[in-house]
Short mmCIF file of all heavy atoms in Angstrom, two decimals:
data_model
loop_
_atom_site.label_atom_id
_atom_site.label_comp_id
_atom_site.label_asym_id
_atom_site.label_seq_id
_atom_site.Cartn_x
_atom_site.Cartn_y
_atom_site.Cartn_z
N LEU A 137 5.62 -11.84 5.90
CA LEU A 137 5.88 -13.28 5.95
C LEU A 137 5.86 -13.79 7.38
O LEU A 137 5.31 -14.87 7.67
CB LEU A 137 7.23 -13.60 5.30
CG LEU A 137 7.30 -13.45 3.78
CD1 LEU A 137 8.74 -13.61 3.31
CD2 LEU A 137 6.40 -14.47 3.10
N ALA A 138 6.43 -13.03 8.30
CA ALA A 138 6.46 -13.43 9.71
C ALA A 138 5.06 -13.56 10.28
O ALA A 138 4.79 -14.44 11.11
CB ALA A 138 7.28 -12.44 10.53
N ALA A 139 4.15 -12.69 9.83
CA ALA A 139 2.77 -12.75 10.32
C ALA A 139 2.07 -14.02 9.85
O ALA A 139 1.05 -14.43 10.45
CB ALA A 139 2.00 -11.52 9.86
N LEU A 140 2.58 -14.65 8.80
CA LEU A 140 1.98 -15.88 8.25
C LEU A 140 2.77 -17.13 8.63
O LEU A 140 2.38 -18.24 8.27
CB LEU A 140 1.91 -15.77 6.72
CG LEU A 140 1.08 -14.60 6.17
CD1 LEU A 140 1.33 -14.44 4.68
CD2 LEU A 140 -0.39 -14.79 6.46
N ALA A 141 3.89 -16.96 9.34
CA ALA A 141 4.79 -18.07 9.62
C ALA A 141 4.24 -18.98 10.71
O ALA A 141 3.29 -18.63 11.42
CB ALA A 141 6.16 -17.54 10.02
N ASP A 142 4.88 -20.15 10.86
CA ASP A 142 4.42 -21.11 11.86
C ASP A 142 5.17 -21.01 13.17
O ASP A 142 4.98 -21.83 14.07
CB ASP A 142 4.52 -22.54 11.30
CG ASP A 142 5.95 -22.90 10.88
OD1 ASP A 142 6.89 -22.17 11.23
OD2 ASP A 142 6.10 -23.93 10.19
N GLY A 143 6.05 -20.01 13.29
CA GLY A 143 6.79 -19.80 14.53
C GLY A 143 7.06 -18.32 14.74
O GLY A 143 6.83 -17.50 13.83
N PRO A 144 7.53 -17.93 15.91
CA PRO A 144 7.75 -16.52 16.21
C PRO A 144 8.93 -15.94 15.42
O PRO A 144 9.84 -16.66 15.01
CB PRO A 144 8.04 -16.53 17.71
CG PRO A 144 8.56 -17.89 18.00
CD PRO A 144 7.85 -18.82 17.06
N SER A 145 8.88 -14.63 15.25
CA SER A 145 9.94 -13.92 14.53
C SER A 145 10.35 -12.68 15.31
O SER A 145 9.55 -12.09 16.05
CB SER A 145 9.48 -13.48 13.13
OG SER A 145 9.21 -14.59 12.31
N ARG A 146 11.59 -12.27 15.10
CA ARG A 146 12.06 -11.00 15.64
C ARG A 146 12.85 -10.28 14.55
O ARG A 146 13.75 -10.87 13.93
CB ARG A 146 12.96 -11.21 16.86
CG ARG A 146 13.38 -9.89 17.50
CD ARG A 146 14.33 -10.09 18.67
NE ARG A 146 14.74 -8.81 19.22
CZ ARG A 146 15.79 -8.65 20.02
NH1 ARG A 146 16.52 -9.69 20.38
NH2 ARG A 146 16.11 -7.44 20.48
N ILE A 147 12.49 -9.04 14.29
CA ILE A 147 13.18 -8.19 13.34
C ILE A 147 13.90 -7.12 14.14
O ILE A 147 13.28 -6.40 14.92
CB ILE A 147 12.21 -7.57 12.32
CG1 ILE A 147 11.56 -8.68 11.49
CG2 ILE A 147 12.90 -6.56 11.44
CD1 ILE A 147 10.44 -8.20 10.59
N ARG A 148 15.21 -7.01 13.94
CA ARG A 148 16.05 -6.12 14.75
C ARG A 148 16.81 -5.13 13.86
O ARG A 148 16.91 -5.30 12.65
CB ARG A 148 17.06 -6.95 15.56
CG ARG A 148 16.43 -7.91 16.55
CD ARG A 148 17.48 -8.78 17.25
NE ARG A 148 17.99 -9.84 16.37
CZ ARG A 148 19.22 -9.89 15.87
NH1 ARG A 148 20.07 -8.92 16.14
NH2 ARG A 148 19.59 -10.89 15.09
N GLY A 149 17.35 -4.07 14.50
CA GLY A 149 18.27 -3.17 13.83
C GLY A 149 17.65 -2.14 12.92
O GLY A 149 18.36 -1.50 12.13
N VAL A 150 16.33 -1.93 13.02
CA VAL A 150 15.66 -1.05 12.04
C VAL A 150 14.97 0.14 12.70
O VAL A 150 13.98 0.65 12.19
CB VAL A 150 14.66 -1.85 11.18
CG1 VAL A 150 15.40 -2.86 10.32
CG2 VAL A 150 13.61 -2.55 12.03
N ALA A 151 15.51 0.62 13.82
CA ALA A 151 14.89 1.78 14.48
C ALA A 151 14.77 2.96 13.53
O ALA A 151 13.82 3.75 13.63
CB ALA A 151 15.71 2.17 15.71
N HIS A 152 15.70 3.09 12.59
CA HIS A 152 15.70 4.24 11.69
C HIS A 152 14.52 4.26 10.73
O HIS A 152 14.21 5.31 10.17
CB HIS A 152 17.01 4.28 10.88
CG HIS A 152 17.23 3.06 10.06
ND1 HIS A 152 17.67 1.86 10.60
CD2 HIS A 152 17.08 2.82 8.73
CE1 HIS A 152 17.77 0.96 9.65
NE2 HIS A 152 17.42 1.51 8.50
N ILE A 153 13.82 3.13 10.55
CA ILE A 153 12.70 3.16 9.60
C ILE A 153 11.47 3.85 10.18
O ILE A 153 10.47 4.02 9.48
CB ILE A 153 12.33 1.75 9.08
CG1 ILE A 153 11.71 0.87 10.16
CG2 ILE A 153 13.55 1.08 8.48
CD1 ILE A 153 11.17 -0.46 9.61
N ARG A 154 11.55 4.28 11.43
CA ARG A 154 10.48 5.15 11.95
C ARG A 154 10.46 6.49 11.21
O ARG A 154 9.46 7.21 11.24
CB ARG A 154 10.67 5.38 13.45
CG ARG A 154 10.43 4.12 14.29
CD ARG A 154 10.42 4.46 15.77
NE ARG A 154 10.30 3.27 16.61
CZ ARG A 154 9.17 2.65 16.91
NH1 ARG A 154 8.04 3.11 16.39
NH2 ARG A 154 9.15 1.58 17.70
N GLY A 155 11.57 6.83 10.56
CA GLY A 155 11.64 8.09 9.81
C GLY A 155 11.57 7.90 8.31
O GLY A 155 11.94 8.80 7.56
N HIS A 156 11.12 6.74 7.85
CA HIS A 156 10.96 6.52 6.40
C HIS A 156 9.64 7.16 5.92
O HIS A 156 9.17 8.12 6.52
CB HIS A 156 11.02 5.03 6.08
CG HIS A 156 12.43 4.51 6.03
ND1 HIS A 156 12.77 3.30 5.47
CD2 HIS A 156 13.59 5.05 6.48
CE1 HIS A 156 14.07 3.12 5.55
NE2 HIS A 156 14.59 4.16 6.18
N GLU A 157 9.06 6.65 4.85
CA GLU A 157 7.83 7.25 4.32
C GLU A 157 6.78 7.40 5.42
O GLU A 157 5.95 8.31 5.38
CB GLU A 157 7.30 6.41 3.18
CG GLU A 157 8.02 6.58 1.85
CD GLU A 157 9.32 5.82 1.75
OE1 GLU A 157 9.83 5.30 2.76
OE2 GLU A 157 9.85 5.74 0.62
N THR A 158 6.76 6.48 6.34
CA THR A 158 5.98 6.59 7.57
C THR A 158 6.80 5.89 8.65
O THR A 158 7.89 5.39 8.38
CB THR A 158 4.59 5.93 7.41
OG1 THR A 158 3.80 6.24 8.55
CG2 THR A 158 4.69 4.42 7.27
N ASP A 159 6.30 5.88 9.88
CA ASP A 159 6.94 5.08 10.93
C ASP A 159 6.59 3.63 10.61
O ASP A 159 5.53 3.12 10.99
CB ASP A 159 6.40 5.49 12.30
CG ASP A 159 6.98 4.67 13.44
OD1 ASP A 159 7.48 3.56 13.19
OD2 ASP A 159 6.92 5.13 14.59
N ARG A 160 7.48 2.96 9.90
CA ARG A 160 7.15 1.62 9.41
C ARG A 160 7.00 0.61 10.54
O ARG A 160 6.25 -0.36 10.42
CB ARG A 160 8.21 1.15 8.41
CG ARG A 160 8.04 1.79 7.04
CD ARG A 160 9.07 1.31 6.04
NE ARG A 160 8.77 1.85 4.71
CZ ARG A 160 9.62 1.85 3.70
NH1 ARG A 160 10.84 1.35 3.85
NH2 ARG A 160 9.27 2.35 2.53
N ILE A 161 7.71 0.80 11.64
CA ILE A 161 7.57 -0.14 12.76
C ILE A 161 6.17 -0.04 13.33
O ILE A 161 5.46 -1.06 13.51
CB ILE A 161 8.63 0.15 13.84
CG1 ILE A 161 10.04 -0.16 13.29
CG2 ILE A 161 8.37 -0.68 15.09
CD1 ILE A 161 11.17 0.20 14.24
N ALA A 162 5.72 1.17 13.66
CA ALA A 162 4.38 1.35 14.21
C ALA A 162 3.31 0.92 13.21
O ALA A 162 2.31 0.30 13.57
CB ALA A 162 4.17 2.80 14.62
N ALA A 163 3.52 1.28 11.93
CA ALA A 163 2.52 0.95 10.91
C ALA A 163 2.38 -0.56 10.73
O ALA A 163 1.26 -1.09 10.65
CB ALA A 163 2.90 1.61 9.59
N LEU A 164 3.49 -1.28 10.69
CA LEU A 164 3.42 -2.73 10.51
C LEU A 164 2.74 -3.40 11.70
O LEU A 164 1.89 -4.29 11.53
CB LEU A 164 4.82 -3.30 10.30
CG LEU A 164 5.42 -3.04 8.91
CD1 LEU A 164 6.92 -3.29 8.92
CD2 LEU A 164 4.73 -3.90 7.85
N ALA A 165 3.11 -2.99 12.91
CA ALA A 165 2.47 -3.58 14.08
C ALA A 165 0.97 -3.31 14.07
O ALA A 165 0.15 -4.20 14.35
CB ALA A 165 3.11 -3.02 15.36
N THR A 166 0.60 -2.08 13.74
CA THR A 166 -0.81 -1.72 13.71
C THR A 166 -1.60 -2.53 12.70
O THR A 166 -2.69 -3.05 13.00
CB THR A 166 -0.96 -0.22 13.40
OG1 THR A 166 -0.36 0.54 14.45
CG2 THR A 166 -2.43 0.18 13.27
N GLU A 167 -1.07 -2.67 11.48
CA GLU A 167 -1.82 -3.34 10.42
C GLU A 167 -1.87 -4.84 10.62
O GLU A 167 -2.89 -5.48 10.34
CB GLU A 167 -1.24 -2.96 9.06
CG GLU A 167 -1.32 -1.47 8.77
CD GLU A 167 -2.68 -0.87 9.08
OE1 GLU A 167 -3.71 -1.41 8.61
OE2 GLU A 167 -2.73 0.12 9.82
N ILE A 168 -0.78 -5.44 11.10
CA ILE A 168 -0.82 -6.88 11.39
C ILE A 168 -1.83 -7.16 12.50
O ILE A 168 -2.64 -8.09 12.41
CB ILE A 168 0.59 -7.38 11.77
CG1 ILE A 168 1.50 -7.36 10.53
CG2 ILE A 168 0.52 -8.79 12.36
CD1 ILE A 168 2.96 -7.60 10.83
N ASN A 169 -1.81 -6.34 13.53
CA ASN A 169 -2.75 -6.54 14.64
C ASN A 169 -4.18 -6.24 14.22
O ASN A 169 -5.14 -6.86 14.73
CB ASN A 169 -2.36 -5.67 15.83
CG ASN A 169 -1.05 -6.13 16.46
OD1 ASN A 169 -0.62 -7.26 16.26
ND2 ASN A 169 -0.41 -5.25 17.21
N ARG A 170 -4.37 -5.32 13.27
CA ARG A 170 -5.72 -5.00 12.80
C ARG A 170 -6.37 -6.23 12.17
O ARG A 170 -7.59 -6.40 12.22
CB ARG A 170 -5.65 -3.86 11.77
CG ARG A 170 -7.02 -3.29 11.38
CD ARG A 170 -6.91 -2.44 10.12
NE ARG A 170 -5.96 -1.35 10.25
CZ ARG A 170 -6.24 -0.18 10.82
NH1 ARG A 170 -7.43 0.04 11.34
NH2 ARG A 170 -5.33 0.76 10.87
N LEU A 171 -5.54 -7.09 11.58
CA LEU A 171 -6.05 -8.30 10.95
C LEU A 171 -6.08 -9.49 11.90
O LEU A 171 -6.31 -10.62 11.47
CB LEU A 171 -5.20 -8.65 9.72
CG LEU A 171 -5.12 -7.59 8.61
CD1 LEU A 171 -4.30 -8.10 7.44
CD2 LEU A 171 -6.50 -7.14 8.15
N GLY A 172 -5.87 -9.23 13.18
CA GLY A 172 -5.94 -10.30 14.17
C GLY A 172 -4.61 -10.90 14.55
O GLY A 172 -4.55 -11.87 15.32
N GLY A 173 -3.51 -10.34 14.03
CA GLY A 173 -2.18 -10.88 14.31
C GLY A 173 -1.67 -10.45 15.67
O GLY A 173 -2.35 -9.75 16.45
#
């Protein structure tokens, strides 16, 4: 949703999701940027 929003966003407090099914922080940044975000 933040990638589609009309203003900037910050998501905090989720360092631990780097150890979920994948490193979700790195994966989200990579995929949003892959689409031009």
Side-chain angles (χ1 to χ4, degrees):
L137 289 172
L140 300 168
D142 58 13
S145 295
R146 184 182 178 197
I147 296 172
R148 298 176 285 110
V150 295
H152 59 283
I153 69 173
R154 292 189 185 277
H156 280 196
E157 282 80 348
T158 189
D159 178 340
R160 283 181 174 165
I161 293 175
L164 285 164
T166 296
E167 298 313 309
I168 290 170
N169 292 341
R170 190 195 303 278
L171 301 183

